[in-house]
Structure formats: structure tokens, C-alpha cells
Amino acid sequence: PFPWFSTMRKASPVRYDATRHSWDVFCYDEVLAVLKDHDTFSSVRPKLGPRLLGSVIGEDPPKHQQLRNIVSRAFTPKTVADLEPRIKAIITDLIDQAIEEHGHFDFVAKIAVPLPVIVIAELLGVPIDDRPLFKHWSDVIAKGATENSMSGLATLMSEKTQAKEELDSYFLHILNERRVDPKEDLISHLVQAEVNGEHLRDEDLLEFCILLLAAGNETTTNLLTNTVRRYCEDPSLQVYLREHLEAIDVATEESLRFYSPIQATNRYATKDVQLGGHIIHEGDQVVVWIGSANRDEQQFVAADTFVMDRHPNKHIAFGHGIHFCLGAPLARLEAHVALPAILERMYAMHFEMDGTLQPIPSSLVYGTSQMEIAYRLPS
Ligand code: HEM
């Protein structure tokens, strides 16, 4: 998408796309202006049937803040930091299993997919054996951005509705168990939480659990895959970072900017408003292109170059404003633990064959659904 973004930033930084009936915003300043102004640019999707993804991400103040307060208490830096030893143990296991496979393996399937799923499952407190179910549900819920035909869309909607029903009954069962017998996990915390003296309704609890699966898994998978992809594209990075482990986190921020896992998010105008010389009308949908803002040469010197130690790096890969990603500390911690472990145990990583990088067919998500890599063991 990057050459297209570049063309659009120059030719029409804010434009109306008549085929999709929505606005596109490409430049950093305008994208930021939209994300900051949550009164004018709402996150609540208007005029649609049942929502598939709700909770904090699809709410405006004041409900947004109430929900976010409850969950953010469960996502404090301390809670997240406490996960470090578990993440370390999980990644060690995953690497052990991956390197049994003769010098090459699919990084996505063996490492980037399971790590975040296992971490979220443990955080929520759901049985680890249910992981395959989770993976299936989160895939179905995340699917869709590319479905253009009406029949494709109809099949997808029924698939999604079914996944949502299955997920609801699955989580409802666990919620009820935790009400009776609370444990030290996020679900127990959520069922006990109160807003204005009242517990959250089942509906809100379910939406939140599902949001964590949908928002946290594929994104973190893609962060890990995109970063290791970059290591393979530029092997000198592997050599340098292995010798300077303290530089890995800054390079990961650059990966978030350069190959942003989420390329776009939506807003809906609550009133007529001027943006980039155009009038956006009340009710119009606005797509803000995070992936383009992160490549805007007005904001980033050498924007199309991966600068391992870029500073400052005000990328907006985790969004901006009141909806700033709640899981950012967790995603960063997973990368912080996993990437050094990968670099230390696999040398000279490179793509196994041409053509095995399968881009995820979506304009909103950036990643590869498969990435065969070869490596050698440290001597
Ligand atoms: C919100 C990106 C990982 C949970 C967001 C938003 C972005 C984003 C761009 C803002 C959406 C908007 O404004 O419309 C990412 C990326 C990730 C990641 C790139 C990984 C590299 C996670 C993880 C979790 C998570 C691991 C949870 C376990 C959330 C939640 C919100 C959110 C709950 C909504 C916050 C709110 O509306 O107040 N994320 N995310 N994310 N993310 Fe993430």
C-alpha cells in the first residue's frame, strides 16, 4: 500500500471515495486531528444491525471512559510486567518446538500466532486446551475487510454471527463459574468490577472478552511477523541487535511505524466539519490511514527507510487520544521478551523460498499469513 499512500498524500490528502461512500485521510496532521477530536469524530458505528465488535473501542464518552477505567485497572503496568516470566517460558517452549523442524519453519504458525493467543488465554484465565477454538473465533471475527461481493459478505456475516454466538456461550459459562468461584484472573476481576455501584452487564463483559481476542491477537502476531520479516530483509539488523540487545525495543518501535499492523481505523462525523479544505458531513464515515500517517515525510525524515534507531519516533501504530491502544504495554512486552530470544537462538534468519510471503488480503491489517524462514543454530 505504501506507494499508493505516498501518491495520495501528495495528490489528495483528504478525499471522498464515492464507491465506498467514505472519506480517506492520509496525512499525519489530519489523521491526528481526527483521532484527537472524539466529539466530532465518533467511534460509534451508526445505523447498523447488531455490532460484532463493541466494548471500549466502539464507544464514545462517557460510556467509553467507564468501561476503559475498569479494564485499565486490570492492565496496569505492574499486572503486565508480572507476565514477563510466563511470556519468557512460553516463547522458549515455542522456539524449542520450532527448531526441532530441520532448519526451517513457518514463523507465523509456530511462533507469532501461538504466543499472543496463549498469553491472552492465561490473562483472561481460560483453559489453555481451548486455544484452537480461540484461534478460530478470533480469525473469523477479524476477517472481512476484503469481502467485496454481496454473497461473500452474506456468508461472512453468517460465519461471524455463528462465531459470536459460540463465543458468547463459551464466555458466559466461564463468567458464571468465576462469579461463584473467583480466581486471580482478568475475568474474575471483570465480573467483580462495579460502575456507579453496579456490576457490569453480561453483554458488556462478553463484548470486552471478545474485543481482547480480536484486538490483541492478530495485531501482536503481525507485529512479531513484520519485525522478523524486516530482520530477514536486512540481515545486518540481526547481527547488530544480537550484539546490542538494548537496541531491540527502539528498533521494534520503528517496525511498528514502518510495517504498522493496523493500517487504518474508522470514525463517523457527528456534525459538519471542515478537514483539509473539504466539508465532511454529519454521519459520514471517515477512514484514517494510520499506515500512511506513519510514512508521512512531513513528520518522519526518510519516511520510507527503516531507521533502526529512529529518534524521535512519534508513530501512531497504537492510535492516539482516548482510544489509544489499551494493550500496547502488553504487545510491547511480548516483543521485548520474544525478539531477543529469537535472535539469540536463530542465526542468519532468511526467507526459505521466494513466494512464501503471503500478504494478508486486507487493506486494514498489515502482515503475512505465512512466512517460511530458515536459520542456523549458534555454534
Ligand atoms: C485500541 C493497535 C495490541 C487491546 C487500538 C487502536 C489501535 C491498536 C490502532 C486504536 C483504534 C481506534 O482508535 O479506533 C494495536 C496494535 C497492537 C495492539 C498495533 C499490537 C502490536 C493490543 C493488545 C490488546 C489490545 C495485545 C489487548 C490484549 C486494545 C483495546 C483497544 C485497542 C481494548 C480499545 C481501546 C479504547 O477504545 O479505549 N489498538 N493494538 N491491543 N487495543 Fe490495540
Side-chain angles (χ1 to χ4, degrees), residues 120-289:
I120 290 277
E122 292 199 2
L123 191 74
L124 283 168
V126 303
I128 202 67
D129 293 344
D130 296 342
R131 261 210 291 135
L133 283 173
F134 266 53
K135 165 77 181 108
H136 165 71
W137 290 326
S138 59
D139 279 355
V140 174
I141 289 192
K143 241 193 314 198
T146 51
E147 290 291 344
N148 291 324
S149 76
M150 281 317 277
S151 65
L153 208 58
T155 318
L156 184 69
M157 287 314 279
S158 76
E159 230 187 312
K160 284 196 178 210
T161 309
Q162 194 192 337
K164 170 94 169 69
E165 281 168 12
E166 289 169 2
L167 263 169
D168 280 355
S169 70
Y170 177 85
F171 275 116
L172 209 51
H173 176 71
I174 300 187
L175 291 174
N176 288 332
E177 276 183 0
R178 293 299 188 278
R179 278 197 184 104
V180 184
D181 181 15
K183 300 199 160 71
E184 285 291 309
D185 57 31
L186 186 53
I187 294 191
S188 303
H189 168 89
L190 292 172
V191 294
Q192 288 163 356
E194 292 182 6
V195 179
N196 305 329
E198 288 187 31
H199 290 296
L200 290 177
R201 292 173 307 155
D202 279 351
E203 196 188 308
D204 290 329
L205 292 166
L206 291 173
E207 281 196 335
F208 187 70
C209 292
I210 294 168
L211 173 62
L212 285 189
L213 287 185
N217 283 340
E218 202 191 7
T219 46
T220 311
T221 294
N222 288 329
L223 168 60
L224 297 170
T225 307
N226 295 347
T227 306
V228 169
R229 167 183 171 186
R230 193 61 216 160
Y231 293 170
C232 292
E233 288 167 345
D234 178 1
S236 72
L237 266 176
Q238 298 175 41
V239 177
Y240 181 86
L241 293 176
R242 193 174 294 119
E243 283 167 12
H244 301 86
L245 295 178
E246 71 289 352
I248 290 181
D249 291 352
V250 173
T252 303
E253 294 301 311
E254 179 66 344
S255 163
L256 281 160
R257 181 191 76 84
F258 195 77
Y259 287 149
S260 307
I262 302 256
Q263 291 281 312
T265 186
N266 293 326
R267 293 293 187 266
Y268 306 89
T270 56
K271 53 178 179 253
D272 291 0
V273 56
Q274 196 166 351
L275 188 75
H278 299 267
I279 303 283
I280 294 178
H281 291 289
E282 180 180 344
D284 285 356
Q285 177 174 338
V286 179
V287 179
V288 291
W289 289 96

Side-chain angles (χ1 to χ4, degrees), residues 8 184 248 314 366:
M8 296 312 286
E184 285 291 309
I248 290 181
K314 292 195 190 155
Y366 192 82

Side-chain angles (χ1 to χ4, degrees), residues 35 43 55-59 64 68 71 75 116 120 123 208 211-213 215-224 256 260-262 264-267 290 316-328 330-332 334:
L35 293 178
S43 290
S55 195
V56 271
I57 206 162
E59 292 288 352
H64 170 262
R68 181 148 175 142
V71 214
F75 263 97
I120 290 277
L123 191 74
F208 187 70
L211 173 62
L212 285 189
L213 287 185
N217 283 340
E218 202 191 7
T219 46
T220 311
T221 294
N222 288 329
L223 168 60
L224 297 170
L256 281 160
S260 307
I262 302 256
T265 186
N266 293 326
R267 293 293 187 266
I290 290 174
I316 50 167
F318 290 118
H320 185 88
I322 62 168
H323 291 281
F324 180 83
C325 178
L326 198 66
L330 179 58
R332 284 181 164 132
E334 289 181 42

